[in-house]
Each structure stands twice: as structure tokens, then as C-alpha cells.
Amino acid sequence: MEHIRTTKVEQVKLLDRFSTSNKSLTGTLYLTATHLLFIDSHQKETWILHHHIASVEKLALTTSGCPLVIQCKNFRIVHFIVPRERDCHDIYNSLLQLSKQAKYEDLYAFSYNPKQNDSERLRGWQLVDLAEEYKRMGLPNSNWQLSDANRDYKICETYPRELYVPRIASKPTIVGSSKFRSKGRFPVLSYYHQSKEAAICRCSQPLSGFSARCLEDEHLLQAISKANPANRYMYVMDTRPRLNAMANRAAGKGYENEDNYSNIRFQFVGIENIHVMRSSLQKLLEVNGTKGLSVSDFYSGLENTGWLRHIKAVTDAAVFLAKAIMVENASVLVHCSDGWDRTSQVCSLGSLLLDPYYRTIRGFMVLIEKDWISFGHKYSERCGHLDGDPKEVSPVFTQFLECVWHLTEQFPQAFEFNEAFLLQIHEHVHSCQFGNFIGNCQKEREELKLKEKTYSLWPFLLDDQKKYFNPLYGSTSQKLAVLEPNTVSFNFKFWRNMYHQFDRTLHPRQSVFNIIRNMNEQNKQLQKDVKDLESQIKQRKNKQTDGVLTKELLNSVRPESPALKTSLCLKEQTLLPVNDALRSIEGGNPADNRYSEYADEFSKSEPAVVSSEYGVARMTC
Amino acid sequence: MEFAELIKTPRVDNVVLHRPFYPAVEGTLCLTGHHLILSSRQDNTEELWLLHSNIDAIDKRFVGPLGTIIIKCKDFRIIQLDIPGMEECLNIASSIEALSTLDSITLMYPFFYRPMFEVIEDGWHSFLPEQEFELYSSATSEWRLSYVNKEFAVCPSYPPIVIVPKAMDDEALRKVATFRHGGRFPVLSYYHKKNGMVIMRSGQPLTGTNGRRCKEDEKLINATLRAGKRGYIIDTRPLNVAQQARAKGGGFEQEAHYPQWRRIHKSIERYHILQESLIKLVEACNDQTHNMDRWLSRLEASNWLTHIKEILTTACLAAQCLDREGASILIHGTEGTDSTLQVTSLAQIILEPRSRTIRGFEALIEREWLQAGHPFQQRCAQSAYCNSKQKWESPVFLLFLDCVWQILRQFPCSFEFNENLLIMLFEHAYASQFGTFLGNNESERYFSALEQILQVFG
């Protein structure tokens, strides 16, 4: 609270990012302990959570006031103009303080109160139960068992307490292997494919240097190999580019030497490191933010960012993993450097391809909880939850969500959830509103007592699951099959609804999903009506001994049918900005619409400036 | 001429067919006057029937006695035939080459095609101008049908019947025709019932370097304006191109002579620039390296999407002028047979729900492309694999279809049809058993007595 000097500024202008004529809304800016709030003259509210703010910038003073540009981690960018420089300065300083907290305890999750009692809170935290999940995979079994080696985080601080390892791997083998692996992250099971009896295992890089070897580590890999009766050899996937892995040898780290390990097939897959990914996203956002982008600037910009190349690399790696298991029945060990970024991406995406359970709403939560949260993906550092080292920030998890989105585009019937679900998860990974993503590993989370002090996100998503259902899900073979995505280049495209999710003004778009959903709901309502009517008829029949149905009854119900009143048919509308019904299809209100702006621009100046630029440029990418 | 003369080897056994995404098929290859047929002669496998007119380019290769012909089709398919025997292979290749480049329209397959289905509708008379006009005539009396072009004498690329302002008599129309490129005087393209405003299209005015003017032309287009209202002339060429056109006798409407009109220049490309763009695009699509950056840079370098954007922007502009500004519009480029038609037809897709139905879309193509004289035969003679590079070959119609697809993607609930109709039209525009897209305009179709053959819309 001590950071807030000004709580309310009037006559603030909010500029439209993509307007070529500097269109703006005027309203009042409020600063609260948790949010920045802008209410425009139409009483439309824009809420920005302080934790979402990635950067605040104060630009040079102009005649109309002092510009303040706020970039958010959820890709919202707002451009305010504050009339008085002092106010702007106050807000700027407050936001700088509020958006970068030094202590976990100051994060929103510790003060957020959704009015649940303790038992509800506990039930929320128990919603995703990893012990159950391993049981679902068929573990433990004759080849795999639960190890108590890390019960007190003694062997590896960044791993969870409960780990599955081959039954024949003794505790000394595990301890020995952990000493030979970066950060003690020895090979453990991530996913077990019951019918193939093959496993996805994960670890960090070996401390092999140029020639070091470790018998225990070699034994552990052999044990993993032997735990798969269907195949003699196993794959070891190093998800790094070969050069990076080789450079690590100089630092006493490196990769497995095929000569030292029996029956392994070693493979590099070439996913770049967190620093490359961070700058790639930075470039992507620069391209996105450009006003009046031409088609070729957009594509050459997109190419320069390398973003889609990285997305493709991650997907390719997951496809390789899934194929090894499905086609060759081979177990796969995945690692990168520390085994918490690229490894998490590849293991989780590979499991998602193999197991339809992870493509349901609940299963996806379990997958994130297992491969990301429990195995120590450093959410707080990667998302910059606290004021820390900016070099640790990287969009690794965002990339995972984008890979999943690409799969949903290619297999529209295979996923129970829709795009909104992915966007919502992305929102809360950065919001710090719930405890799930706070901290960097399980040990840290236990120390923070997150389960007592904060709430879990998952029950809130489940309460809202209606919003996240994919109406096309199910009823076909796609639902159950192993996904074999096609990764030719043109299947990878710019994810407009992620990177422009707040730029609704960019252009309007009809949503088939919404229409199908409404139709389904109306169908349900109609079915309910039918049932009601049938029961009414029965009652009448019972009353009227002759059993003749009165006409009056039928007539009285027909006009009440709700579905017939609202037409879903849009074909009678002009595609141009004439029709409000059409405009608000994606939920935006008319003032939020780019076309209405066209009209203003149009009457003002050169009609030639009217453009459907973004609409067209972004449509096909 | 007999087709048999061109077919040196009508049949070869043990030919292997390779197609992407399909297993190889071994079978017998037959050549007929219009088709290349490969049949495995087993009951369960499908046969390949390929129209010679669908063949865009072929390559031959020899490894020992085994010859390979790679056939690149106008619909972008690439198939490969392995033919045992060098002589057979050469014969087949030269026959295909000859048969796929026949230039007489009456030798084309539509003249030989006998449908296996019952023809339930006479497609040639499904979309008569009289019927289309009736849709407007209830709303307005300011327009009339003119038969001035009955013998194709006034404008060879116009249909016999056109819709013109009632105030203009046929004599004046003849005068205007001499002032417009190719005799393409301004005619009605679309009447917007909501506000009575219209889209007209024409060829460029022949002002030349000395600024020639034509009173009747001015009167004709002014007849569409309401008192005190201004109209827009959308020239699909950039200003400098329009200015250069004056040296060749063409030009644009001078402000001084058309004070009630505001002229806007856009830059929609035409001719070989589009063809090269298509060639690059298809090359990028066929790239086997699967490299992400390479795909993006090749896609960008093809400029295909830049063209799409420019066309759509212009069409949106036209639609907004009409619907928002309540202004009438005249659209032209040089000839008024390419970019002009892209813009007029897309503006109608945007404005008119009927044109988003299957029937309405067919009517639109009949009206704005076939009767309006888009030279299909010239433009669609070759596709993305040809090397001939003739100036008049250009994927103008394909770009239009792509633009419709883009709108369809943004407004998926507003169309009665899906992308399959667009793909089907693309295929038939380049190679078809139907006569719809033969010839370059109505008069050519009329004189080759196309009525005997079938319409794709039937």
C-alpha cells in the first residue's frame, strides 16, 4: 500500500494500438492494491493485474499529456496518455514497485480470497492427485516401483518426493546416478505406456565431461532398458542442439557416450535454450506491435523471430518420442541441461500424443501438475513472478501451450478442451492469483505452505468447464487414437488469439464454436421440453380417461419453444459493419469493433486509408 | 484431325503410377483422345482418369530401359509414371504433349462429353440477364436492359444484354463505347437495394495525352448520382500506371470533366506478375526440406498474400463507399476484365447475402466473370508448372477464389457453401468436361455453339 501515491486520475486517454488515426477512449484510471483499472466513458472496464505487468514505460511528454505504455505478460499492451506529468510519474513509480515484488508472501495469491472454507480449499488442492495418476498408468507393477529415496528431498531438491524407478534399480544405484547428473536429477519415470510396457523417463545431463563415467548411472539406464520386456534397446534423447551439448562438456557436463552405455540409441533433437526462446518471443512481440504492417513485413518478421521454428522443433521432438514408443516399443529417456525446461516440454507433449486421457480437461491438469509442477519447472523464475534475474525468464511453458494449440488445430475432435482453456491457464500461470504455479519446485512450495495459504486453480477451472468444452470433441476414433501430427512447415501458423487476445479491435470474426455450443444448449433445452411435455401428456391421459389429447395443449406449448425465437442463422447479414448482431459475435461490444472505427476514419479523411490490413495479413499465416 | 494420329502408342502394360500420399499402383496405361487412363485391372483398386487438358507440364527421365514421365497438373497435382521401354515412353510423352496443347476449342472434351447422369437443368439458361434484372426492377425504375450489343458489335467482350441507366439511349451508349477501352462502356454490376446506390464497371476511358472527353460518358455515369451526392471512381491501377496509360491512348477520368466524382487509385497487380507469384507459391508448397524459416521466406517472397490483401482491401473499400458513404461507384482498371471483376464480385460477396448461397454464387460467377468477359481461355491456359510465360496467362480467377476463401474463414457462418465449391470451380476453370469456362467471352462461346454441350452449373 505504501507504494500507491495517487489512486485516481481523471481524463486519461487510452489509445487504440492499431488505429492509424490515433483513436482513443477517455476515462478514469484507478490504482488499487492489486489492479490497475481503467473505466472509459461508456463504463467499460479494463482491469490489469499488477502481476501481469511485464514492463512500464514512460515516454517523452507530448502536447496532450504524458504517455505511459504498459506491456503485460498475457500480451496485452495498453497505451495511456495521462494529462499531468506528475500523476503519470506517480503511477509509473507505483506500478514499478507493485509489479515487481521481492517476497513470495506479497504475491496476490496470499491475499486472494474466493470465500471458501478450509475444507473446500483442501479438497481443491486434492483435486489433482498424482498418486492416482501413477495408479491409472498401471504402476507400480512387476518392473516399476515407487522409490522412497527422495522422500525427504535428500537426493534431489527439485524433484518431487514420490518417484517411480525400475524395480531392479537399488538405492545405491540411484544415489550413485544422482551424483553423476546435473542438480542430482537422475533418470525417473514420467509416463508409463501400459500396453507397450514402454516408459518415458526424464533426467538432467550427465556430468560426463570429456571422459568421466559412472557405473551406477550406466546400471540405472540398463535397468530402465530391462524394465521394458518388449525391446532390448532404449532411446536417449538429448533435446539440445548438438553444439550446445558439446560445449557443455568443457564445463564437466555433456551427454551420454554410446560406448559406455549398453543398448542405448542416442539422439539430439535440437531445441534451443531459454535465452534464444526469450529473445525470439521478444522479436515476435515487436513484429506484432507494428502498426500498418504489410503482408511481406509480417512474414519476413515472423521468419526472423524464429518462433515457429522453435514450436516446430518441440513438436518434432514429441513426435519422435511418441513414434519410438508406438512403432518400436522402445523406452525413451529424455533430458536437456537441467531437465526442467525442454525435457518438460517434450515429455508432456509426447504423453499427450500417446494418451487420450491428457487431452481431456482433467487429464490436461494432471499432465501439467505432473510433468511441469512436480518435476520442478521453475515457474516463478521463468515467469518472473518476483523481482529477479531477467535472464531466467523464458516462455517455455507458453511454447508448450502453443504446441498443444497447434495439435488442437490439426485434430479438432481429439481434445475435450478448447482454446479458451489454454488461454485461461496461460493467464493464471502469470497472474499469481492461485498457488499452483508459485515457486520453483515442490520443496519450495511446501516451505511456503501454499496449500494452507493459497488456493488451487484447478477447481475454479472445473467450475467453469462449460466455457472450456470443445463442442467437436468425441464420438470419433480421433478421440482415442494416438495422434500422429503432420509437422510440415505450413501446418505451423501464427497464434492470433494468444498474441492478440486483447486486440479484439483488430478485426471481427465469427466463431463456429460458439454457434455449435449455443445450438447444443438449445438442443438440450428442447429435449428437456419434450420430456416435460411427455410427462404432461401422461398426466393428462391419466386424468382424462378417454386419453384423447386436446389440441389446446399442443398449441399452448408450441410458441414457447425457446430455440425458435433466436435464430442462429447469420446468412441474411451483410459482412460489413452494418449489423450489430454480427459485430458482437465474439462477445465484443460495438464500441470495441474495428469496423466502427473504419466508419469514423472514413468520413473524416482519405477513404484510401481504410484497410483490412490486419484482417487479411493475419488471416492465413 | 483425328486424335488417333496423335496417339502413337495407345496402350502400355506394366506401368507403375506414383502419387503423393498413395501407394504405388501397377497397371495398364491407355491414352484416349481426351484422357490418360491408368487401370490396375483389378476390381477393388481405383483407376486414374486424367484429362489431357489438365496437364500443365511433363518431364521425362530414363534409367536404362525404364522411362519415367512426371506429369504436373494444372490443379497442382504431381504424378509419376514408370514406363518400361524407351520407345513406349517417348511415344506416350509426345502424345501427351500434343494432346494437352490442342488449341482448337471445338476439339476440347466438353464437345465430346456425354454425361452419365440425368441433366435436370439447362445450365446455360439458369442465370439469364433478364431474370437477374427482375431482381432489381421491383426496387428501381432508373435502370433498363439494353440490347445494343445484340450482335456483339458495340463491345465484343460484353454479353448481348446489359443493364444501363434508363436515361441513356442506345445511340449514346454506342458513343460511350468508342470512348472506353475495348468498347466496354460503364454498365451496372450491382444494385444495392438498401440505399439504391450502385457499382458500375467499365474499361479505362480513352482520354489519351490530349485529354479527350466524351459528354455521353459523363452523362452516363452522372445519371447514377443523386442530387448533391458524390460518387467514387476506383481505378485499380496506381496513379503513375494510369498516367502512363495515356501515352497508349488510355487514361483516367479528369477531375475537371467529372467534378462529382472522386477518384481513388489502388494497385492490384495483373498478368505475368501474378503468374510468377503463383509459380513461387506452388514451389514453396512443394518444398521437401520442411524447414520452417524457408517456408516463411518463400511464402513471403511469392507475394501471393500481398496480392490477396490488396484485392480484399480494394473490395472492402468499394463495399464501404457503397454501404457506409451511400455513394455510387465506378470501377475499372485498363481493360476492365481482370482486377475490375475481382473487386466488383468480392464487393458483392461482402454486401449481398444472396451471393453467399450456392446458387447466388454461381449467378455471380456467371454475371461478373463469364458474361462480363473475363478471358478464361487465355488466363487459364497454363498453371503453376508451365515455362511458357505468356503475358496473358494469369491466375486472376484463382486469386478471386482465394479471396472468397479468406472471407469464408473470417465469417464461416455466413456462407451456404464450403471451400470444396471453390476448389471445384478452380479445377473446372482450368480443365473440365463442361463447357462453362471455354472461350474468352460470350461472343466466342456463342459462335462455337457451346449450347450443345454442358454447363457446369447445370
Side-chain angles (χ1 to χ4, degrees):
Chain A
M1 268 312 176
E2 71 270 28
H3 303 306
I4 300 178
R5 269 168 245 166
T6 309
T7 55
K8 182 178 171 190
V9 187
E10 280 170 349
Q11 291 295 315
V12 173
K13 277 192 199 144
L14 174 62
L15 294 188
D16 183 324
R17 254 177 100 196
F18 292 99
S19 156
T20 37
S21 58
N22 285 334
K23 202 182 157 237
S24 67
L25 290 166
T26 307
T28 309
L29 197 63
Y30 298 90
L31 196 59
T32 76
T34 54
H35 288 84
L36 182 69
L37 169 62
F38 178 77
I39 303 180
D40 66 26
S41 47
H42 308 292
Q43 298 305 312
K44 201 183 145 252
E45 299 174 4
T46 306
W47 291 81
I48 297 171
L49 189 65
H50 295 327
H51 295 315
H52 269 144
I53 295 176
S55 74
V56 201
E57 214 182 334
K58 202 160 67 101
L59 304 181
L61 194 67
T62 66
T63 47
S64 50
C66 191
L68 190 69
V69 181
I70 301 174
Q71 287 206 28
C72 299
K73 293 169 182 170
N74 53 5
F75 309 119
R76 186 203 284 272
I77 296 180
V78 284
H79 195 144
F80 290 117
I81 295 195
V82 184
R84 284 171 52 213
E85 197 187 0
R86 244 200 62 194
D87 291 335
C88 185
H89 191 73
D90 285 348
I91 290 179
Y92 171 75
N93 279 333
S94 303
L95 288 179
L96 275 190
Q97 301 289 337
L98 291 165
S99 64
K100 292 268 181 242
Q101 301 292 356
K103 301 198 304 283
Y104 281 120
E105 283 74 14
D106 292 333
L107 292 177
Y108 185 32
F110 290 89
S111 59
Y112 174 64
N113 181 8
K115 305 212 170 57
Q116 280 190 346
N117 61 37
D118 286 351
S119 71
E120 279 173 315
R121 177 192 332 231
L122 187 65
R123 244 181 292 137
W125 280 110
Q126 286 165 344
L127 191 72
V128 173
D129 180 0
L130 290 185
E132 275 302 309
E133 170 58 11
Y134 287 109
K135 219 181 267 172
R136 188 191 69 86
M137 294 179 200
L139 297 178
N141 64 12
S142 56
N143 290 318
W144 293 88
Q145 65 173 359
L146 183 64
S147 159
D148 59 2
N150 202 40
R151 183 169 292 162
D152 303 312
Y153 298 115
K154 282 214 175 102
I155 298 183
C156 174
E157 293 202 331
T158 57
Y159 266 172
R161 290 174 189 271
E162 306 201 325
L163 293 165
Y164 280 82
V165 294
R167 205 170 270 277
I168 56 169
S170 65
K171 197 165 175 187
T173 310
I174 292 171
V175 174
S177 164
S178 76
K179 292 195 173 126
F180 187 62
R181 293 274 169 183
S182 194
K183 308 275 193 313
R185 295 171 68 93
F186 60 97
V188 296
L189 179 129
S190 154
Y191 175 73
Y192 182 72
H193 196 288
Q194 226 168 337
S195 64
K196 297 275 176 191
E197 298 182 271
I200 301 175
C201 297
R202 54 185 292 169
C203 61
S204 60
Q205 64 184 341
L207 304 174
S208 55
F210 290 101
S211 59
R213 55 189 288 190
C214 167
L215 284 179
E216 288 92 343
D217 193 59
E218 289 160 25
H219 285 152
L220 185 52
L221 260 67
Q222 197 161 21
I224 292 173
S225 214
K226 281 193 178 143
N228 178 356
N231 201 321
R232 280 184 54 250
Y233 59 87
M234 68 182 281
Y235 279 100
V236 175
M237 279 173 80
D238 189 328
T239 55
R240 299 168 293 183
R242 179 190 295 271
L243 267 180
N244 300 21
M246 280 164 66
N248 262 304
R249 290 204 297 192
K253 300 164 191 169
Y255 53 92
E256 289 82 357
N257 182 342
E258 265 180 300
D259 300 336
N260 297 342
Y261 292 83
S262 49
N263 301 324
I264 66 162
R265 297 192 176 178
F266 187 83
Q267 178 81 34
F268 287 112
V269 287
I271 303 172
E272 300 287 350
N273 66 24
I274 56 166
H275 310 295
V276 175
M277 301 309 190
R278 179 179 55 246
S279 76
S280 173
L281 180 67
Q282 194 54 45
K283 285 185 204 154
L284 186 74
L285 297 182
E286 275 163 30
V287 173
N288 283 347
T290 315
K291 267 189 195 180
L293 201 64
S294 76
V295 176
S296 31
D297 286 348
F298 175 67
Y299 280 103
S300 61
L302 192 60
E303 185 208 335
N304 283 335
T305 69
W307 184 255
L308 291 178
R309 173 159 49 88
H310 304 315
I311 298 292
K312 178 171 151 58
V314 175
T315 314
D316 275 331
V319 170
F320 178 90
L321 189 159
K323 263 194 192 148
I325 288 184
M326 285 317 289
V327 181
E328 299 181 54
N329 269 18
S331 289
V332 187
L333 174 66
V334 184
H335 72 74
C336 46
S337 296
D338 290 321
W340 49 46
D341 294 311
R342 292 169 267 200
T343 303
S344 295
Q345 288 178 330
V346 174
C347 288
S348 56
L349 206 58
S351 317
L352 186 88
L353 295 177
L354 291 168
D355 193 334
Y357 174 65
Y358 297 130
R359 305 196 288 260
T360 63
I361 288 182
R362 238 169 219 275
F364 194 66
M365 297 172 178
V366 170
L367 184 68
I368 291 176
E369 196 72 44
K370 173 170 72 77
D371 269 317
W372 292 86
I373 296 175
S374 89
F375 276 111
H377 174 67
K378 304 199 286 177
Y379 277 105
S380 275
E381 294 207 340
R382 295 291 177 260
C383 304
H385 288 160
L386 297 180
D387 193 9
D389 184 358
K391 286 215 170 74
E392 284 290 329
V393 176
S394 186
V396 176
F397 186 71
T398 306
Q399 286 183 322
F400 164 69
L401 292 179
E402 180 159 343
C403 290
V404 175
W405 175 77
H406 272 103
L407 293 175
T408 64
E409 285 286 288
Q410 220 178 103
F411 303 98
Q413 294 176 303
F415 289 82
E416 189 190 21
F417 50 85
N418 60 16
E419 190 180 45
F421 186 60
L422 299 175
L423 293 177
Q424 192 66 14
I425 291 174
H426 182 261
E427 177 93 2
H428 284 300
V429 165
H430 293 96
S431 74
C432 303
Q433 187 174 347
F434 298 96
N436 307 59
F437 305 102
I438 289 174
N440 292 310
C441 61
Q442 293 296 59
K443 183 166 178 260
E444 197 175 5
R445 289 187 190 102
E446 285 173 18
E447 285 163 7
L448 287 169
K449 298 199 167 52
L450 288 174
K451 291 196 179 174
E452 291 143 52
K453 292 183 178 165
T454 70
Y455 295 85
S456 166
L457 165 67
W458 308 127
F460 293 89
L461 290 184
L462 275 185
D463 284 349
D464 262 357
Q465 58 180 322
K466 232 180 173 177
K467 271 202 265 180
Y468 308 124
F469 270 129
N470 168 14
L472 302 179
Y473 176 64
S475 75
T476 62
S477 51
Q478 249 193 28
K479 179 177 162 185
L480 295 172
V482 172
L483 301 184
E484 293 172 44
N486 184 333
T487 59
V488 298
S489 315
F490 44 75
N491 281 328
F492 293 90
K493 48 194 176 175
F494 176 72
W495 190 3
R496 178 176 33 81
N497 286 349
M498 171 63 100
Y499 303 103
H500 284 302
Q501 54 181 309
F502 294 98
D503 305 315
R504 285 192 178 279
T505 57
L506 223 46
H507 57 81
R509 204 169 263 266
Q510 291 173 340
S511 162
V512 180
F513 274 6
N514 289 347
I515 286 192
I516 296 175
R517 191 164 54 210
N518 291 345
M519 256 170 25
N520 283 347
E521 263 159 36
Q522 290 188 347
N523 266 344
K524 262 185 219 151
Q525 182 62 38
L526 285 175
Q527 274 165 5
K528 200 176 143 269
D529 288 355
V530 169
K531 263 191 198 145
D532 287 353
L533 291 177
E534 276 170 351
S535 66
Q536 276 186 40
I537 291 172
K538 252 185 208 158
Q539 281 173 8
R540 294 249 176 154
K541 264 188 187 165
N542 292 344
K543 277 184 206 158
Q544 299 176 345
T545 43
D546 57 357
V548 176
L549 189 59
T550 51
K551 266 186 190 171
E552 175 204 343
L553 171 64
L554 276 176
N555 286 340
S556 68
V557 290
R558 222 179 263 156
E560 284 169 15
S561 170
L564 302 175
K565 280 184 218 157
T566 47
S567 169
L568 285 165
C569 191
L570 301 161
K571 67 182 180 213
E572 290 307 320
Q573 294 167 348
T574 303
L575 293 187
L576 263 186
V578 270
N579 202 308
D580 278 356
L582 188 72
R583 272 190 223 157
S584 48
I585 268 173
E586 265 191 331
N589 72 43
D592 208 24
N593 188 285
R594 183 128 179 103
Y595 271 141
S596 50
E597 173 194 300
Y598 282 161
D600 299 347
E601 282 176 6
F602 200 74
S603 44
K604 261 187 256 159
S605 56
E606 273 288 308
V609 299
V610 177
S611 72
S612 56
E613 240 163 44
Y614 283 95
V616 181
R618 299 266 150 94
M619 248 168 4
T620 49
C621 46
Chain B
M1 191 202 70
E2 288 289 322
F3 291 117
E5 291 167 20
L6 298 174
I7 304 172
K8 294 175 192 146
T9 305
R11 208 187 112 167
V12 191
D13 289 323
N14 302 324
V15 173
V16 181
L17 165 72
H18 301 274
R19 285 174 291 182
F21 310 114
Y22 289 95
V25 181
E26 185 178 339
T28 302
L29 178 72
C30 297
L31 289 187
T32 73
H34 293 104
H35 284 95
L36 175 152
I37 304 159
L38 188 122
S39 167
S40 67
R41 303 225 190 164
Q42 277 152 13
D43 299 336
N44 50 353
T45 33
E46 52 160 341
E47 296 173 336
L48 171 77
W49 284 66
L50 186 68
L51 270 177
H52 294 315
S53 55
N54 193 358
I55 295 173
D56 204 25
I58 64 170
D59 291 334
K60 308 181 278 273
R61 275 205 311 256
F62 294 95
V63 181
L66 181 75
T68 295
I69 301 179
I70 293 165
I71 299 179
K72 297 176 176 177
C73 303
K74 289 176 188 168
D75 57 14
F76 309 139
R77 255 183 306 175
I78 296 183
I79 61 174
Q80 180 185 332
L81 296 169
D82 294 341
I83 300 171
M86 171 142 7
E87 196 192 331
E88 282 85 353
C89 184
L90 284 172
N91 284 348
I92 295 283
S94 70
S95 303
I96 294 175
E97 229 155 329
L99 289 165
S100 62
T101 49
L102 297 176
D103 43 10
S104 167
I105 157 170
T106 52
L107 291 175
M108 301 298 238
Y109 187 52
F111 286 90
F112 299 83
Y113 177 61
R114 294 292 168 265
M116 306 284 281
F117 54 87
E118 191 192 349
V119 180
I120 48 173
E121 186 183 346
D122 175 8
W124 295 108
H125 296 104
S126 294
F127 306 103
L128 294 177
E130 290 93 333
Q131 292 165 6
E132 293 292 313
F133 181 65
E134 265 172 35
L135 296 174
Y136 301 142
S137 52
S138 59
T140 175
S141 55
E142 291 165 23
W143 297 83
R144 68 180 182 96
L145 287 174
S146 165
Y147 297 84
V148 68
N149 199 34
K150 202 158 67 183
E151 311 289 331
F152 302 106
V154 178
C155 171
S157 63
Y158 267 175
I161 309 171
V162 290
I163 304 173
V164 294
K166 198 163 221 172
M168 300 299 290
D169 60 27
D170 285 357
E171 201 41 52
L173 292 177
R174 283 194 187 91
K175 278 190 188 145
V176 178
T178 62
F179 181 66
R180 291 275 173 180
H181 191 115
R184 294 175 69 92
F185 54 89
V187 295
L188 182 83
S189 162
Y190 172 64
Y191 179 84
H192 197 41
K193 276 190 183 160
K194 190 177 136 198
N195 56 15
M197 291 296 123
V198 296
I199 298 177
M200 287 178 296
R201 53 179 156 75
S202 67
Q204 66 177 341
L206 302 174
T207 56
T209 39
N210 51 7
R212 200 158 75 93
R213 64 188 284 194
C214 170
K215 283 273 164 52
E216 286 79 7
D217 188 76
E218 292 156 25
K219 192 180 156 209
L220 192 162
I221 69 167
N222 285 340
T224 66
L225 293 178
R226 302 269 157 82
K229 278 285 223 175
R230 299 217 317 172
Y232 287 93
I233 295 173
I234 298 179
D235 192 327
T236 60
R237 306 163 294 179
L239 181 61
N240 62 329
V241 175
Q243 279 165 343
Q244 283 158 13
R246 288 189 298 198
K248 293 184 196 155
F252 53 88
E253 293 82 357
Q254 302 287 338
E255 284 85 352
H257 302 154
Y258 298 85
Q260 287 162 283
W261 294 82
R262 175 152 176 196
R263 206 178 61 247
I264 302 167
H265 289 276
K266 302 296 287 183
S267 51
I268 301 180
E269 293 289 355
R270 296 178 312 149
Y271 298 139
H272 63 281
I273 291 175
L274 301 181
Q275 185 77 2
E276 276 159 25
S277 178
L278 176 67
I279 291 170
K280 283 187 193 156
L281 178 73
V282 172
E283 266 172 22
C285 291
N286 288 334
D287 189 329
Q288 297 297 318
T289 59
H290 302 305
N291 177 316
M292 195 70 227
D293 292 350
R294 205 172 146 89
W295 158 249
L296 287 173
S297 69
R298 298 188 77 164
L299 180 62
E300 185 233 319
S302 79
N303 270 331
W304 184 260
L305 291 171
T306 308
H307 302 315
I308 298 277
K309 190 184 123 178
E310 190 61 32
I311 297 167
L312 277 173
T313 310
T314 312
C316 285
L317 172 71
Q320 278 165 346
C321 287
L322 196 67
D323 192 74
R324 284 295 175 84
E325 293 274 283
S328 282
I329 311 162
L330 171 68
I331 299 172
H332 68 74
T334 306
E335 290 98 340
T337 55
D338 295 288
S339 51
T340 306
L341 304 183
Q342 288 171 331
V343 176
T344 57
S345 49
L346 284 169
Q348 293 180 49
I349 298 262
I350 292 169
L351 291 169
E352 168 72 284
R354 190 175 86 100
S355 64
R356 288 176 241 136
T357 63
I358 293 177
R359 228 187 140 72
F361 190 63
E362 289 176 350
L364 178 79
I365 289 181
E366 180 71 30
R367 225 169 44 230
E368 290 302 306
W369 290 86
L370 293 161
Q371 294 183 13
H374 176 67
F376 276 98
Q377 195 177 334
Q378 284 184 350
R379 299 288 181 262
C380 302
Q382 301 274 257
S383 172
Y385 299 117
C386 79
N387 303 313
S388 69
K389 299 232 170 99
Q390 298 285 359
K391 188 193 173 191
W392 55 76
E393 287 160 6
S394 185
V396 175
F397 186 62
L398 176 57
L399 271 166
F400 159 72
L401 294 176
D402 198 338
C403 290
V404 176
W405 183 81
Q406 306 281 0
I407 301 176
L408 178 68
R409 294 270 293 178
Q410 260 191 55
F411 301 94
C413 315
S414 298
F415 285 79
E416 188 188 18
F417 53 86
N418 58 21
E419 65 177 357
N420 292 340
L421 178 71
L422 303 175
I423 294 172
M424 196 272 280
L425 286 171
F426 157 68
E427 288 168 352
H428 283 282
Y430 280 81
S432 176
Q433 67 269 46
F434 301 107
T436 310
F437 297 104
L438 289 182
N440 287 313
N441 48 50
E442 280 300 284
S443 74
E444 282 188 33
R445 281 185 278 270
Y446 178 79
F447 291 115
S448 41
L450 279 184
E451 304 259 329
Q452 304 156 12
I453 61 181
L454 281 174
Q455 244 273 14
V456 66
F457 298 147

